[in-house]
Amino acid sequence: MTDSLIDALQAKHLRDLKPYESARRLFSGGQDWLNANESPFVGEYSLDSRKLNRYPDCQPKAVIQAYAAYAGVTREQVLVSRGADEGIELLIRAFCDAGQDSILICPPTYGMYAISAETFNVKVNKAPLNADFSLNLDAMAEFVGKVKIVFICSPNNPTGTQVAPEQIEQALALFAGSALVAVDEAYIEFAQGQGWAGQLANYPNLVVLRTLSKAFGLAGIRCGFTLASPAIIQVLLKAIAPYPLAEPVAQIAAQALSAQGLAWMQEKVEVLNVLRQRLQDQLQTLGDFVQVGDCQANFILLRSQYKQGLMDDLVAQGILIRDQSKQLGLENCLRISIGTEEQNQRLVAAMQRFFEEKAR
């Protein structure tokens, strides 16, 4: 097929869309990957190969039961998928009609909400966050009755800020009769408080998105969870693939959610929180950095007038961080994932050399 024929055949709404710029698409190689909010730690897992000749369960009981117990919800309130990203897509596919319906996002925030909606020809409305990165509830109120899903990221990527509980309560009340409110808690293990999973019974329109990619150190297996009322879960099961979770993924996820796996995760979260604070303190003494947002996740967001030069210098040394300057209100901002002590110190040393040369 010629390129012109492919262009003519593709869906019209996709023609001007660009793929999501994931960390791996932007950069490959390097020795220190501090650009994707991954854990620098990985656990040890075993694999039983006796089931690999069979199709896996759509919703593996061991994984569902273990995550329900961990999150403090019932099994009927849990759906497991290929990362929380698939959970986002399922919500849009199951509750929005292409070419007709809309979602609401609150930028600056995680890019996949908009990408997923646009891919399915669902309109994206925006109620930008306030200057302090709190929800602008007055702006959100303008979309009551006009959107099917409201996505709220808390802790927010890339600002590291948590949305105040009273603001989420207000959002749930605002859209109680017209839309789902999906609270994305990919980073909840690093934050203060317990999140919103325990409130599902009190808010029928509440959905909580979770993942094993961050605190559990399992970004490579792609395993996430959607927590919601049984009625919402049943709708999502109509849209999910027949075999969303590979058998090895299910086995690893079940091990990660065991008592031993949870203890490992909690220990590593404590280590990363200490490393985050140490890195924060060190970076505040360098260059012209200004911290942006908060640090309720496994990353730090900083602003520097030397953003581009610093990025180029670090990439040349194999140290990868993430440029967030394209995000609303985040001009000249860089996001740094927390690495091991050794990785963090290589980063600090490289930045120190960069700013020393600037001062000459």
Side-chain angles (χ1 to χ4, degrees):
M1 284 188 174
T2 63
D3 290 347
S4 59
L5 179 57
I6 296 297
D7 185 58
L9 290 174
Q10 73 170 303
K12 292 179 181 179
H13 72 277
L14 291 180
R15 289 177 182 171
D16 296 326
L17 296 186
K18 295 181 179 180
Y20 178 67
E21 293 183 331
S22 68
R24 293 297 168 269
R25 274 183 165 172
L26 287 171
F27 294 105
S28 60
Q31 63 177 358
D32 297 318
W33 294 0
L34 307 178
N35 62 338
N37 299 343
E38 301 151 319
S39 173
F41 307 117
V42 63
E44 293 290 333
Y45 302 96
S46 60
L47 179 63
D48 181 353
S49 63
R50 289 176 294 178
K51 290 185 178 180
L52 297 186
N53 61 318
R54 304 296 183 188
Y55 289 111
D57 291 336
C58 176
Q59 296 291 291
K61 291 182 180 179
V63 178
I64 295 293
Q65 290 173 346
Y67 202 86
Y70 168 66
V73 299
T74 68
R75 289 174 293 174
E76 294 75 22
Q77 294 172 312
V78 181
L79 179 135
V80 64
S81 61
R82 290 167 290 198
D85 286 343
E86 187 179 28
I88 294 166
E89 288 193 359
L90 288 171
L91 286 168
I92 293 169
R93 285 171 52 205
F95 288 93
C96 297
D97 287 321
Q100 299 180 38
D101 291 329
S102 304
I103 67 165
L104 179 63
I105 65 172
C106 303
T109 193
Y110 183 42
M112 279 306 297
Y113 312 135
I115 292 289
S116 294
E118 290 167 347
T119 300
F120 295 116
N121 199 19
V122 169
K123 184 180 178 182
V124 179
N125 293 304
K126 299 177 182 179
L129 297 174
N130 293 315
D132 62 355
F133 302 122
S134 61
L135 295 180
N136 186 335
L137 288 158
D138 289 337
M140 294 174 72
E142 296 180 10
F143 295 98
V144 172
K146 300 176 182 178
V147 299
K148 287 284 193 73
I149 309 170
V150 179
F151 286 100
I152 298 172
C153 195
S154 181
N156 188 35
N157 174 18
T159 64
T161 48
Q162 271 188 293
V163 178
E166 57 270 22
Q167 284 211 310
I168 292 183
E169 289 174 355
Q170 287 176 277
L172 285 162
L174 265 179
F175 294 94
S178 61
L180 301 180
V181 176
V183 181
D184 187 342
E185 294 184 340
Y187 301 92
I188 193 63
E189 284 85 6
F190 297 99
Q192 299 170 356
Q194 299 300 310
W196 282 84
Q199 298 296 319
L200 292 177
N202 299 324
Y203 299 98
N205 63 327
L206 172 64
V207 178
V208 177
L209 294 165
R210 296 279 191 88
T211 185
L212 299 187
S213 294
K214 310 303 180 183
F216 286 85
L218 288 171
I221 72 168
R222 309 307 300 126
C223 184
F225 299 87
T226 302
L227 313 178
S229 70
I232 292 174
I233 297 298
Q234 288 303 309
V235 174
L236 297 179
L237 284 170
K238 297 178 182 180
I240 199 168
Y243 312 111
L245 229 60
E247 176 64 26
V249 172
Q251 290 186 29
I252 293 170
Q255 292 171 56
L257 293 165
S258 67
Q260 182 179 356
L262 291 174
W264 180 91
M265 178 273 290
Q266 289 159 357
E267 176 193 351
K268 295 305 185 237
V269 165
E270 291 177 8
V271 170
L272 285 169
N273 282 343
V274 170
L275 292 174
R276 180 186 64 199
Q277 185 60 56
R278 188 177 302 163
L279 184 59
Q280 264 184 278
D281 295 341
Q282 291 178 301
L283 292 179
Q284 286 177 358
T285 68
L286 296 179
D288 65 336
F289 286 135
V290 175
Q291 183 177 315
V292 178
D294 199 359
C295 291
Q296 296 295 310
N298 64 336
F299 57 81
I300 300 170
L301 187 66
L302 299 169
R303 178 174 277 121
S304 171
Q305 65 176 320
Y306 302 109
K307 181 268 300 180
Q308 193 58 54
L310 181 57
M311 272 284 298
D312 295 342
D313 186 72
L314 291 174
V315 170
Q317 298 180 63
I319 301 173
L320 310 183
I321 62 176
R322 191 70 181 262
D323 185 351
Q324 293 290 339
S325 298
K326 293 180 181 178
Q327 290 256 34
L328 181 67
L330 300 185
E331 296 80 8
N332 292 324
C333 282
L334 299 168
R335 192 192 67 196
I336 303 169
S337 307
I338 307 304
T340 63
E341 177 68 13
E342 293 75 18
Q343 289 175 320
N344 294 342
Q345 292 316 304
R346 281 197 291 269
L347 171 74
V348 170
M351 287 183 164
Q352 189 168 18
R353 287 193 298 270
F354 175 84
F355 284 113
E356 285 174 353
E357 291 178 4
K358 283 292 180 186
R360 289 175 186 171

